[in-house]
Amino acid sequence: MIQFVGRDAYKQFWNFSKDEKENLATQLAIELPALRGKVGASEIASAVGISRQTYSAYENRTRPIPWSLYLALLFYFDYIPSTHYMIRQLELFPNELDECWLAGRVFIEEEK
């Protein structure tokens, strides 16, 4: 029988301090122009549910990126093959989130 890791096991992967969240969001804002590449700002803004003007404010660093939007942008860029590895090379995708995904695939075989 296969038993998957419980919900409590995942909590450790999502425990970021306020400073860590701010640093990750700031680093993402710095790299937004490079990540955008051939994708238009309007397309990205639409995908994450904000206006193009709001997206531009984040890209120009006139507004700080909130944690929820950081996650939305991170998962958006993670989905695009050309930026998937880039966000990891730039250390914008926290290792803890990859570890969380991997933990979900770990199982324990019970003795029969």
Side-chain angles (χ1 to χ4, degrees):
M1 177 182 230
I2 297 174
Q3 178 183 9
F4 289 94
V5 176
R7 266 193 290 182
D8 289 338
Y10 296 109
K11 290 179 183 177
Q12 67 181 341
F13 300 110
W14 290 89
N15 191 16
F16 295 94
S17 71
K18 183 180 178 191
D19 287 341
E20 288 173 317
K21 290 177 181 181
E22 288 175 0
N23 288 338
L24 286 165
T26 299
Q27 285 306 116
L28 179 62
I30 291 168
E31 300 297 343
L32 277 178
L35 289 166
R36 183 165 37 92
K38 295 180 182 177
V39 181
S42 295
E43 183 178 334
I44 297 169
S46 176
V48 297
I50 59 175
S51 70
R52 185 193 55 75
Q53 293 83 0
T54 301
Y55 176 83
S56 293
Y58 294 132
E59 190 173 281
N60 294 327
R61 293 183 274 155
T62 57
R63 286 177 69 173
I65 297 175
W67 182 246
S68 58
L69 183 63
Y70 163 82
L71 291 172
L73 288 166
L74 188 70
F75 295 139
Y76 174 81
F77 289 120
D78 186 47
Y79 181 76
I80 299 171
S82 62
T83 55
H84 173 83
Y85 293 107
M86 188 175 177
I87 59 175
R88 284 164 174 79
Q89 289 171 338
L90 295 170
E91 298 181 358
L92 300 173
F93 197 100
N95 290 333
E96 293 87 347
L97 298 184
D98 271 336
E99 291 169 11
C100 180
W101 182 83
L102 292 172
R105 301 187 56 96
V106 172
F107 59 87
I108 303 166
E109 288 193 31
E110 294 181 344
E111 293 184 59
K112 294 182 180 179

